[in-house]
Amino acid sequence: VASVLVSSLTCSPSSIGANSSSICTITLTQPAPAGGASVTLSNSNATLTVPASVTVAAAATSANFTVSTAAINSNSSATVTATYNSSSANTTVNLVASVLVSSLTCSPSSIGAYSSSICTITLTQPAPDGGASVTLSNSNTALTVAPFFTVAAAATSANLMVTTAAISSNSSATITAGYNSSSATASVSLVAAIPVSSLSCSPAALAGANASTSCTVTLAQPAPSGGADVTVSSSTSAVSVPGSVAVAAGATAAAFTITSAAVSSNQIAS
């Protein structure tokens, strides 16, 4: 009588993700003897849970058993081996890590009224077929954020734009991106418009053509990241002024020079 040996071992599906299972089938070369055939099982990867053995019932030629996963931190594979009567067969089960949100960043991270920032969602793995629809939420209604955004299939990141309208006071918004029970956050500072508090020139009078004076524009609060461009204009062509003056980031004032032209009579420039 020929020995009863292990003929094959297969698992379906052969690729599974986190918190999933696969049905494996052991097939023998002959019907199992009276009392059944207790087939020993082993596994090369602790991420996959495999029973220690499975019994093929007496007179049967095959039996099924289930293998399962919990969390999967990274893509890997497991070799499952079935052994009986000094014979064995094995099969490979691919373990696919969940696609999770890795990070969310926004640039610039500080914006003013009627401005925008580009935010980047990054995933831990390429998005599945059909893409990954990432849910978005936002803690501040002064910032407009779409309720969801799709990372295209096979891509690992996607960009979206967030925008502001009027901003009545300085504040911040926390944006949260969620997918597959994972999330990441980014903070965007919302900077209210900074008013000009004063403008002074010394000396305050220019005598004749080509005379100059130094003027200082002062803001009500420090200029934001990137600085503040203050528009400068004059009520008369008798003086030459720059079109704008830049107040450096963090500064409250900046100086600029105005120059007089030739005039036929006394004038006041404002």
Side-chain angles (χ1 to χ4, degrees), residues 34-200:
S38 180
V39 179
T40 301
L41 301 172
S42 62
N43 164 36
S44 66
N45 191 328
T47 302
L48 185 70
T49 299
V50 178
S53 64
V54 63
T55 299
V56 181
T61 56
S62 65
N64 295 334
F65 63 95
T66 300
V67 298
S68 60
T69 59
I72 300 175
N73 295 324
S74 60
N75 293 345
S76 60
S77 64
T79 300
V80 182
T81 303
T83 304
Y84 180 73
N85 246 359
S86 300
S87 65
S88 64
N90 58 55
T91 191
T92 297
V93 177
N94 295 312
L95 308 179
V96 182
S98 298
V99 178
L100 306 175
V101 176
S102 171
S103 65
L104 174 65
T105 59
C106 296
S107 181
S109 60
S110 181
I111 57 177
Y114 305 100
S115 300
S116 63
S117 178
I118 300 298
C119 298
T120 302
I121 301 166
T122 303
L123 305 178
T124 57
Q125 305 281 337
D129 291 346
S133 182
V134 179
T135 301
L136 300 168
S137 61
N138 164 37
S139 66
N140 192 329
T141 56
L143 185 70
T144 299
V145 179
F148 63 89
F149 200 81
T150 300
V151 180
T156 56
S157 65
N159 294 333
L160 68 142
M161 181 181 291
V162 297
T163 59
T164 57
I167 300 175
S168 58
S169 61
N170 291 347
S171 61
S172 64
T174 299
I175 305 169
T176 302
Y179 182 72
N180 249 359
S181 299
S182 66
S183 64
T185 62
S187 181
V188 177
S189 297
L190 307 180
V191 182
I194 301 172
V196 174
S197 64
S198 68
L199 174 63
S200 61

Side-chain angles (χ1 to χ4, degrees), residues 194-197 218-222 252:
I194 301 172
V196 174
S197 64
T218 303
L219 304 180
Q221 61 192 53
T252 57

Side-chain angles (χ1 to χ4, degrees), residues 228-261:
D229 285 329
V230 179
T231 301
V232 179
S233 62
S234 170
S235 63
T236 175
S237 60
V239 294
S240 174
V241 299
S244 65
V245 58
V247 180
T252 57
F256 62 97
T257 299
I258 63 174
T259 306
S260 63

